[in-house]
Amino acid sequence: MPVVPGGAYQQGPTCFDKMKLGFTIGFCVGAVSGVLFGGFSAFRYGLRGKELFSNIGKVMIQGGGTFGTFMAIGTGIRC
């Protein structure tokens, strides 16, 4: 095993880095759930074409932003 020179210790991620990662993971999970729930509800309302994709995109951003924010807050509390 190589010897590490004194004072050159590697540090772990900062609390802000962990919060960014929590937001990113939460945003991805929220966006996927937004596609599923938004797609089913849009089909139920009878949306097709441009209106369908517009509605699904809006629900993706809303769900991703909400869940990402809560994941970032939860990660910040754990730091």
Side-chain angles (χ1 to χ4, degrees), residues 6-29:
Y9 297 109
Q10 192 174 20
Q11 294 180 348
T14 63
C15 188
F16 185 69
D17 289 336
K18 291 179 184 179
M19 287 178 65
K20 287 191 299 186
L21 182 65
F23 179 82
T24 304
I25 292 172
F27 189 87
C28 292
V29 170

Side-chain angles (χ1 to χ4, degrees), residues 17-69:
D17 289 336
K18 291 179 184 179
M19 287 178 65
K20 287 191 299 186
L21 182 65
F23 179 82
T24 304
I25 292 172
F27 189 87
C28 292
V29 170
V32 170
S33 68
V35 168
L36 293 174
F37 295 129
F40 288 135
S41 68
F43 278 131
R44 191 177 68 192
Y45 292 139
L47 299 179
R48 298 289 185 266
K50 186 177 179 182
E51 294 87 12
L52 175 70
F53 287 110
S54 172
N55 189 12
I56 289 175
K58 182 176 72 170
V59 172
M60 279 177 65
I61 297 298
Q62 287 175 345
T66 301
F67 198 71
T69 301

